Amino acid sequence: MPSDFPKRITLLGSTGSIGTQALDVVRAHPTRFTVAALSAHSNADLLIQQAREFRPAAVVIGDETKYQAVKAALVGQPETEVLAGEAALAEVAGRPTTDIVLTAMVGYAGLLPTVAAIRAGKDIALANKETLVVAGQLITQLVREYGVGLYPVDSEHSAIFQCLVGEERNPIEKIILTASGGPFRGRSRAELASVTKAQALKHPNWDMGAKITIDSASLMNKGLEVIEAKWLFGLRDDQIDVVVHPQSIIHSLVQFEDGSLKAQLGLPDMKLPIQYALGYPHRLPASFPRFSFLDYPQLTFEQPDKTAFRNLGLAFEAMSRAGNAPCVLNAANEIAVAAFLRDEVGFLQMSELVEDCLSRVSYLADPSLEDYVQTDKEARRVAQERLLKQAGKLAN
């Protein structure tokens, strides 16, 4: 076994889709990975179950009202410290007993713990794309300053990362992010006006949490991935393309200056990119199902419809504006998706809310970390005010 194993993992967001699959990877490689710490926002029951199995040095429950329940459940496990709240996430992420932090939290909540982990010199396996969407310039500066590894977990970015191994001297001409198109691929804007939450939650290829599934249906997830790719791979805006690939077999492609394309292929299974990020630079054996071309005799591609799916265009616009615009985009989208999941807005109204916030929230060209924090708060306030105004009009 290589000398850099076993790796001690702190898993932020252990009860979500990425977190539970990451623990499957740990189970498959018990001599290569150990669990240093686990965190969950509110799923105390699953966090307790995970803590009893993996016996980490610490667990954090984000919802402080559930602290006593977790503490009581683990009272017979003295080696596991029980903590609660946002500050505890950042503290645990930087502990010396950790080698790599897998950030699998959803949304803006992943930013500050990731910053804390980088400043503590920890490598990052990044599943929380919002960290780079919100503060990409700051995060990449910190990664360089502290000399840590930043390993993407999103399947598209993992694909690009894998294609670039051994190509350090060869400049990228462009990258092509693939998108499944979601459950509403091919529908017009008029048809999207009447889609339901239940329909939006049925992704054709991937099993994900509710927020990411809705983002995939609206193509906002792909827009966030575009911004993430810019910072991960040091690209100009015009070096990033998106193509719809309904089969989700080609996870993304890199084109080099000689015109050659490299792609990474595989079945849609998040455990592979999770394992690659945690084990990097080693490819570890896996029992995942293997892809066969005979099972997929046709791989098809088409242009995304930025008119029907306005969110993708808004993400490109926010990336072009730079500064704190992507932070506004992300915050407004989180409010919009939550409202959609509560049946308070329609599918197309999510884009309208995001566009409104981008035009109304104060623009900053060169924000600091504190500026990002304040921008997030302002964008959420503006979005909530618009929702309240809209609800008032409907009531009248």
Side-chain angles (χ1 to χ4, degrees):
M1 185 187 303
S3 60
D4 48 354
F5 289 116
K7 289 186 180 180
R8 300 167 297 178
I9 303 167
T10 285
L11 178 45
L12 303 182
S14 64
T15 60
S17 174
I18 295 295
T20 54
Q21 291 179 84
L23 291 176
D24 286 340
V25 171
V26 173
R27 290 185 187 98
H29 298 281
T31 62
R32 291 181 168 92
F33 303 119
T34 61
V35 176
L38 298 168
S39 86
H41 174 60
S42 60
N43 192 341
D45 291 341
L46 183 52
L47 180 64
I48 291 164
Q49 180 181 324
Q50 292 172 342
R52 287 172 173 164
E53 177 181 358
F54 291 96
R55 310 188 80 82
V59 297
V60 181
I61 182 74
D63 183 348
E64 297 185 37
T65 66
K66 299 188 176 182
Y67 169 76
Q68 290 298 338
V70 178
K71 179 77 172 175
L74 298 177
V75 69
Q77 194 169 309
E79 70 271 29
T80 300
E81 181 182 9
V82 180
L83 303 164
E86 292 182 9
L89 288 171
E91 188 272 321
V92 165
R95 287 189 174 185
T97 50
T98 294
D99 298 313
I100 186 167
V101 177
L102 172 55
T103 59
M105 302 167 69
V106 176
Y108 171 84
L111 174 61
L112 296 181
T114 304
V115 170
I118 293 170
R119 285 176 170 164
K122 308 303 177 185
D123 290 339
I124 305 295
L126 187 70
N128 176 254
K129 64 177 66 68
E130 291 86 354
T131 291
L132 286 179
V133 171
V134 169
Q137 184 170 350
L138 173 67
I139 294 297
T140 50
Q141 287 173 348
L142 289 172
V143 165
R144 289 192 295 269
E145 180 181 348
Y146 289 90
V148 302
L150 183 62
Y151 309 123
V153 169
D154 271 347
S155 61
E156 296 83 357
H157 303 88
S158 176
I160 296 164
F161 186 63
Q162 293 179 58
C163 289
L164 291 175
V165 171
E167 301 282 1
E168 291 78 12
R169 297 184 181 182
N170 297 316
I172 298 171
E173 184 167 283
K174 70 175 180 179
I175 65 166
I176 302 170
L177 296 173
T178 56
S180 71
F184 306 133
R185 179 176 63 88
R187 297 202 189 186
S188 68
R189 189 166 180 81
E191 291 171 323
L192 291 175
S194 60
V195 301
T196 67
K197 175 177 69 177
Q199 291 171 325
L201 286 170
K202 292 181 180 178
H203 195 281
N205 299 336
W206 296 95
D207 181 14
M208 305 173 290
K211 196 270 181 183
I212 298 176
T213 303
I214 299 301
D215 280 347
S216 295
S218 72
L219 290 196
M220 178 59 88
N221 194 54
K222 200 55 50 180
L224 299 179
E225 289 174 0
V226 165
I227 300 171
E228 180 184 10
K230 172 188 173 116
W231 296 110
L232 273 172
F233 305 112
L235 302 171
R236 302 186 311 272
D237 298 356
D238 62 359
Q239 289 179 290
I240 307 171
D241 280 348
V242 173
V243 65
V244 174
H245 169 47
Q247 296 81 22
S248 296
I249 295 300
I250 296 178
H251 296 301
S252 280
L253 309 93
V254 179
Q255 183 167 300
F256 296 95
E257 289 186 322
D258 62 357
S260 178
L261 283 164
K262 286 178 72 173
Q264 188 263 332
L265 286 72
L267 295 172
D269 184 340
M270 283 304 301
K271 288 193 286 292
L272 194 151
I274 292 168
Q275 178 171 294
Y276 188 78
L278 292 177
Y280 184 82
H282 308 288
R283 287 193 181 272
L284 305 181
S287 59
F288 314 143
R290 268 44 176 176
F291 165 72
S292 169
F293 278 103
L294 298 180
D295 295 330
Y296 292 84
Q298 286 191 322
L299 300 179
T300 61
F301 308 90
E302 58 196 62
Q303 281 283 90
D305 185 346
K306 293 182 184 178
T307 300
F309 296 90
R310 179 75 179 114
N311 278 350
L312 183 57
L314 290 172
F316 272 98
E317 291 169 21
M319 179 174 65
S320 178
R321 288 184 67 193
N324 68 338
C327 180
V328 175
L329 176 93
N330 179 73
N333 180 64
E334 289 189 17
I335 296 297
V337 171
F340 179 72
L341 289 170
R342 296 192 302 266
D343 298 310
E344 295 174 1
V345 299
F347 189 80
L348 293 180
Q349 288 173 306
M350 290 190 290
S351 300
E352 294 169 4
L353 181 64
V354 172
E355 189 164 17
D356 181 66
C357 288
L358 282 168
S359 68
R360 292 174 57 196
V361 174
S362 306
Y363 176 72
L364 297 172
D366 188 22
S368 65
L369 179 59
E370 181 56 32
D371 290 331
Y372 287 123
V373 172
Q374 294 306 315
T375 293
D376 179 79
K377 290 178 180 178
E378 182 184 355
R380 291 173 192 272
R381 176 183 59 77
V382 169
Q384 293 284 12
E385 287 175 355
R386 176 180 166 121
L387 287 174
L388 288 172
K389 180 183 287 188
Q390 182 175 307
K393 287 181 180 178
L394 291 174
N396 294 330

